[in-house]
Amino acid sequence: MQALGLGGMATACRELAEQNNANDLSRDEWLGLMLDREAAIRADKRLTNRLAAAKLRFADACIENIDFAAHRGLDRRNTMSLAQGAWLKAHENLIVTGQTGTGN
C-alpha cells in the first residue's frame, strides 16, 4: 500500500490488525475503514496545502476570536448567526459593506 501511495490505508490496516476485535469485522468493513482513513488523510493534506499556499496573514483566525468590545459597530448576535451559515442553507444572499480594510 505504501508503494502505491496509500499511506493512510496502510496505517489504518496496521491499527485494525492490532485491535482485539479486528476479527469481528468483515472484509468489506475493513476495506471501508481503510478507504475512509485514506480519504480523510488526503482531504487534510489538500486543506493544509491550500492554507499554506494562501499565505494568510492570520492563519489561525476564527470567528470566536472577534473582539466585539472594539468600537466597530459589530453586533455579536448577528455576527454569530451569520457565522452559523443558516443563510447559505436558505439560499439567501449576503452583502458586506464598509470601507475596505477598516473592519467597518
Side-chain angles (χ1 to χ4, degrees):
M1 286 185 238
Q2 290 286 25
L4 293 173
L6 302 171
M9 284 183 70
T11 302
C13 184
R14 279 191 302 274
E15 290 175 2
L16 283 170
E18 292 172 359
Q19 292 182 358
N20 293 334
N21 61 352
N23 293 333
D24 297 341
L25 300 174
S26 69
R27 283 182 285 171
D28 291 337
E29 290 171 325
W30 270 67
L31 182 60
L33 290 170
M34 291 188 308
L35 288 171
D36 285 344
R37 174 71 65 87
E38 183 67 31
I41 287 176
R42 287 181 183 216
D44 288 346
K45 284 182 183 178
R46 270 194 308 274
L47 178 60
T48 301
N49 290 339
R50 287 179 180 162
L51 288 173
K55 298 179 184 171
L56 299 172
R57 184 173 171 194
F58 300 105
D60 59 342
C62 63
I63 197 77
E64 290 82 13
N65 292 342
I66 294 176
D67 180 14
F68 290 100
H71 299 288
R72 292 179 286 189
L74 291 175
D75 178 43
R76 177 185 295 272
R77 184 176 299 143
N78 191 23
T79 303
M80 298 310 268
S81 172
L82 290 171
Q84 291 176 350
W87 61 279
L88 290 168
K89 295 174 186 135
H91 301 286
E92 296 176 345
N93 296 317
L94 176 66
I95 298 174
V96 179
T97 61
Q99 297 176 349
T100 304
T102 63
N104 291 328

